[in-house]
Structures are given as C-alpha cells and as structure tokens.
C-alpha cells in the first residue's frame, strides 16, 4: 500500500476503455453536479457498497493528485453520507494521464495501490491487472486468482494462475492441477508476481516445471529519434508477421500447430477491449518485416511484441519501431513505459542500451497438464 496521499475512483471497465480513447473520465456527475466523485483509499468501500453492491468486476483507478489540473475539494457526499464523512470531489474531468494504475477491484481483497514514482510497483500492478481485466472468467485461488478464456485454451497468458501474494510451490502445484483439470487446460501455468519469488520458482523447477525469469524493465516515455520509418497500422496487417514468428518458435506441427497459432493471434484482440492498443510496423517493398505494440493504461504504457523478420535484421527496424512506440506513449500523456524481457536472452541488453533499466523480476512457470 502506498504511503503517499493517493486518490481513487471506481469505474466500469467499459467506461475506463472509453476514457482512454477520450483522454479523460467524464462521468454523469460532472454534468449534473459539476464534479467527479473521488475517494481516499480507505473510503472506496463506501461508494462500492452503495453503488455497486456485490460487484467484483470493477476497475479502481489510482490517481496522483499532483497531476490533476482542476481543483479537488473535500466535501460531504452527494447525498450527504449519514456518517458525516467527507469525500474529495474533482471539479473538472479526470485526465487519464493522472491515473498511475488501473487495478481490479475484487473485495474483500485489499487492492495494492502503487506510488506514482514507484516504477516496480506500477509495473507489477500492470502485469497483474491486465490478465484479470480481459479474462472471460476469474476465480479466487491462494495467492491471487485464476484467469480463464475457453476460446483460446492454448494461450498460457489467458489461462493461468496470476499470483501477486506469496504462496509455496506445493500449493501452486496443487491449485494449478485442480484448476487445469476443471477447466480442461492443455497446460498448467502461473505468473509469480510478488518480490522475492525466486525460491518458489526454484522449487517448482525441481518439481519438473518449466521456469522463466522475466526482467521488469522501465524508462521514461520520452521519445527516441528515428521513429518516422515506423507507421501505425491496423493490427490485422501484423498478423502474417506474427504467424511466421510463432510457427518458427513452437514445437507443434501440422493441424495442431495451425490451431495454436490461430489462437495466439486471435487472443490479441482481447487486450484492446480493456486498454488502448497501438500497433506499429516497418515495411520493406510493401511487406511488414518488423512490428511492435504499445498498450496504454492511463499514465503507464507497456511495450510488447517487438520483433523483426530474421532476413531483415541489422537495418535499424527495431529501433524505428521502439522509437515510434515511445513517441505514442509520450503523446498519450504517459510518464512510464514498462516491459518484460527474458532474463537469459539478448533483448534485455538491447532494451538497456535504449534507456530501459531493470526495476524488478517476475516469474512465468508452466508444464503440460
């Protein structure tokens, strides 16, 4: 929990997605009463109980008051709270650039609210929130939740345990086995998103799990030069590049490979339903040979899927893609750009030379069901 004076706002997922496109949250109260209802972190349960009883699918916006342009006044609720409590009211729209995290609100679990200048906390909040917010089904498990999407069962990202609180390897193994069996997953998988999870990951490796250490990296959203060669494209224009990349890296063959690749490509549309997705590409003779994606969620953005065809490497295409993505992030009002990079692979060094620094670690673990 943050020690800083944060503010919060509960919002429907669809309204947050609309605000990302508009640039600001403009609830009906802004027109009717002249302000946006906000809460201190220890008050948010009151509007939740009054306006959304029993709901566990809402998004809690974590707001840095220093980024608000309009005045905030602490006043009685509307209607006045019978307990006499006062609430912060923002007399103007809530800019999305003031939202440093958008976390799932799933009472009675206490949401973790990262500080605006806490890059590791904001990165972990992003990677813990996105799987939950885009999931078809979410269930509570020890240490976090299980996310499910039966339309893409071969995607581990969409069908796994997302664990933000410490839990031991035996519990993870038992929980993953039970959930995978009930859901019919072809795998068991989990993301370990709490600090100091290395010992648990090592224990799972001894139990036969595949374990990947991921470096959480971050930098300011200031643009780099050279992004002019990369263009913003409709995501469908990148599908063939993704298709070639997945087919080169997966062990499956024949019809099974076709099914897996189709699901991995098809799952990507789910992200744009909950946050703002921007795809950029570089072409050679009209053919997309390099691409990358930016996922914008308020003041935080994440770089994903930067890749270049093997035959087109060494020509600066990756730099052009990254520069364009950082420019989009800056233009959207983001102050922080994050990414995940495999700890044992070369891209993390490539990103480090371009201003990204390692701010934390997470772990991805899995095995066949």
């Amino acid at each position: 929990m943050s020690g800083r004076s944060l503010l919060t706002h509960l919002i429907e997922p669809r309204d947050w997605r609309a605000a990302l496109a508009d640039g600001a949250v403009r609830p009906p109260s802004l027109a009717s009463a002249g302000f946006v209802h906000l809460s201190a972190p220890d008050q948010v349960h009151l509007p939740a109980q009054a306006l959304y009883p029993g709901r566990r699918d809402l998004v809690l916006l974590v707001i840095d008051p220093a980024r608000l342009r309009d005045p905030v006044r602490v006043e009685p609720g509307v209607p006045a709270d019978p307990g006499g409590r006062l609430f912060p009211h923002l007399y103007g729209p809530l800019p999305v650039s003031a939202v440093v995290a958008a976390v799932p609100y799933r009472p009675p679990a206490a949401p973790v609210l990262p500080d605006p200048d806490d890059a590791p906390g904001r990165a972990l909040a992003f990677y813990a929130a996105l799987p939950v917010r885009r999931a078809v089904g979410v269930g509570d498990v020890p240490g976090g939740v299980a996310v499910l999407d039966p339309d893409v069962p071969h995607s581990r990202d969409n069908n796994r345990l997302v664990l933000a609180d410490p839990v031991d390897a035996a519990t993870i193994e038992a929980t993953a086995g039970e959930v995978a069996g009930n859901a019919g997953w072809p795998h068991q998988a989990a993301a370990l998103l709490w600090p100091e999870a290395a010992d648990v990951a090592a224990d799972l490796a001894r139990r036969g799990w595949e374990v990947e250490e991921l470096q959480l990296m971050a930098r300011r959203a200031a643009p780099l030069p050279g992004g002019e060669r990369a263009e913003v494209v409709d995501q469908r224009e990148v599908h063939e590049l993704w298709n070639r990349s997945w087919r080169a890296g997966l062990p499956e063959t024949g019809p099974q490979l076709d099914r897996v690749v189709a699901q991995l490509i098809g799952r990507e549309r789910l992200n744009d339903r909950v946050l703002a997705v921007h795809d950029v590409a570089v072409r050679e003779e009209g053919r997309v040979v390099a691409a990358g994606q930016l996922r914008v969620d308020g003041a935080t953005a994440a770089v994903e899927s930067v890749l270049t065809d093997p035959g087109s490497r060494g020509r600066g295409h990756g730099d052009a893609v990254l520069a364009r993505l950082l420019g989009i992030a800056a233009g959207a009002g983001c102050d922080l750009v994050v990414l995940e990079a495999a700890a044992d692979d070369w891209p993390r060094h490539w990103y480090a030379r371009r201003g990204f620094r390692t701010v934390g670690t997470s772990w991805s673990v899995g095995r066949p069901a």
Side-chain angles (χ1 to χ4, degrees), residues 244-268:
R244 297 193 298 270
S245 177
W246 281 116
R247 287 181 179 276
L250 289 170
E252 289 85 357
T253 59
Q256 177 70 354
L257 178 61
D258 295 339
R259 284 191 293 271
V260 172
V261 170
Q263 288 183 22
L264 295 179
I265 293 174
R267 70 182 179 181
E268 292 301 315

Side-chain angles (χ1 to χ4, degrees), residues 72-85:
V72 175
R73 300 170 187 158
V74 179
E75 302 170 322
V78 179
D81 183 75
R85 297 194 67 165

Side-chain angles (χ1 to χ4, degrees), residues 82-154:
R85 297 194 67 165
L86 303 179
F87 292 85
H89 294 155
L90 171 63
Y91 279 81
L94 169 58
V96 299
S97 58
V99 177
V100 297
V103 301
Y105 185 70
R106 293 179 55 80
V112 176
L113 312 183
D115 240 20
D117 53 3
D118 177 11
R122 287 173 62 180
L124 285 170
F126 179 93
Y127 289 112
L130 177 58
V132 178
R133 288 164 49 196
R134 73 186 174 201
V136 171
V138 181
D140 295 325
V141 299
V145 297
V147 296
L148 304 93
D149 191 329
D151 291 333
V152 288
H154 289 285

Side-chain angles (χ1 to χ4, degrees), residues 184-221:
W185 291 347
H187 58 261
Q188 298 175 14
L192 313 185
L193 300 176
W194 70 89
E196 312 301 331
D199 289 344
V200 174
D203 194 355
L204 288 167
R206 289 190 290 269
R207 294 166 179 259
W209 287 63
E210 301 168 4
V211 173
E212 182 179 32
E213 180 183 359
L214 299 172
Q215 297 287 308
L216 300 175
M217 306 186 76
R219 62 157 284 163
R220 292 186 305 109

